[in-house]
Amino acid sequence: QAKSEGKNRYVVHSSELLNVMMDEYMLEVDLRRALDNDEFVLHYQPQINNNTGKLVGFEALIRWQHPTLGLIPPGKFIKLAEENGLITQIGEWVINEACSQNKKWQDAGMTPVKMSVNLSTQQFLTRDLLAFMEDMLERTAIDPAYVVVEITEYMAMEYEYSIQVLEQLKALGIGISIDDFGTGYSSLNYLKNFPIDYIKIDKSFVSEIMNNEKDAIIVNAIITLAHNLRKEVIAEGVETQEQLDFLKSHHCDISQGYYFSKPLPADEIEKIYLEQH
Ligand code: C2E
Ligand code: MG
Ligand code: MG
Ligand code: MG
């Protein structure tokens, strides 16, 4: 009895593993075609100034509209794209799309706001990133003052090179944000030596500020530190009025999260913000 159960379990597991491997393989095949087939879409999440309550920016977040599997979130394919090298091309598509969209909105009369895009490590370390950015600015005619790149602490591993790239992006007029702050290989050195404009407090801290005193203390300390270094603070994952009140009372500058809006496709953003104007 026990023996046959064990055997069955083994069989089940090995076929499950095979399924997972097949799924991943198929997904990779599909991913290679997704760019050509125009299957990626961006959703935009509003960023709100905590003092004025006004919209000050969007974060562009990629989704994959798969022909049979439906809308796939980035958590399910970005890692794969990093492993097979497709991420650079996908990332370039994201930057182009997000910045052209922002320019279109500005031309249509929306109050100009910043557009943040997430950079992958590989994309950041690619030698052509700067040339690509210069070209993109020219092509889309977007004012670089409305472009922000979000990097993570992982990217700062190639220390000297990273500083150089960031300085050059800054020289182009592009803003720099450090994403998911506090979760990676955080080093206060980055804050000291990198030309960063914004610090984004990771949502894992924000979601606990009302329940866990330690998270509240950490969030408060990050805000104070950032302000003393003349950087602005963005809280991600703000979901409740209580969290927002806490952040406001601790002078956090900008909030982003489901409390205001989930990430939305361009046409829904237009319904809200073009009409408001
Ligand atoms: P991220 O850059 O930290 O983005 C924030 C994530 O939190 C997004 O998930 C967003 O939908 C989600 N979020 C926003 N507000 C709330 C909230 O109030 N509560 C909760 N629970 N979640 C909230 P998403 O869109 O699934 O993206 C996940 C991650 O995928 C991003 O984390 C980013 O690291 C990566 N990613 C997304 N788009 C791109 C891209 O174009 N390029 C690259 N390289 N990475 C991307
Ligand atoms: Mg981000
Ligand atoms: Mg983030
Ligand atoms: Mg995050």
Side-chain angles (χ1 to χ4, degrees), residues 46-57 111 113 248 253-255 260 273 276:
Q47 300 178 322
I48 308 296
N49 180 300
N50 286 338
N51 292 318
T52 63
K54 291 219 166 99
L55 178 80
V56 288
T111 309
V113 296
K248 279 182 174 173
D253 305 285
I254 295 165
S255 292
F260 294 105
Y273 293 101
Q276 210 178 71

Side-chain angles (χ1 to χ4, degrees), residues 21-132:
M21 286 167 65
M22 275 306 287
D23 286 351
E24 266 192 18
Y25 173 73
M26 297 300 283
L27 209 61
E28 174 162 353
V29 171
D30 292 349
L31 194 58
R32 289 186 183 279
R33 295 193 194 116
L35 263 179
D36 291 333
N37 294 350
D38 214 14
E39 289 168 8
F40 294 113
V41 285
L42 293 181
H43 285 188
Y44 301 93
Q45 190 174 35
Q47 300 178 322
I48 308 296
N49 180 300
N50 286 338
N51 292 318
T52 63
K54 291 219 166 99
L55 178 80
V56 288
F58 293 109
E59 178 176 7
L61 294 153
I62 195 170
R63 279 91 182 88
W64 177 10
Q65 186 65 62
H66 189 282
T68 55
L69 300 173
L71 201 64
I72 306 180
K76 294 233 168 82
F77 66 89
I78 289 289
K79 214 175 135 250
L80 186 64
E82 263 165 10
E83 284 162 9
N84 64 25
L86 290 170
I87 192 68
T88 304
Q89 262 177 290
I90 295 173
E92 289 182 350
W93 177 84
V94 169
I95 296 171
N96 270 327
E97 177 71 16
C99 293
S100 327
Q101 183 61 261
N102 200 23
K103 178 72 166 105
K104 262 187 234 161
W105 284 335
Q106 293 182 3
D107 289 347
M110 198 192 282
T111 309
V113 296
K114 301 190 187 210
M115 179 64 75
S116 292
V117 293
N118 293 280
L119 284 190
S120 80
T121 309
Q122 256 194 54
Q123 199 180 354
F124 182 70
L125 297 175
T126 298
R127 302 279 147 179
D128 328 320
L129 177 66
L130 282 163
F132 173 80

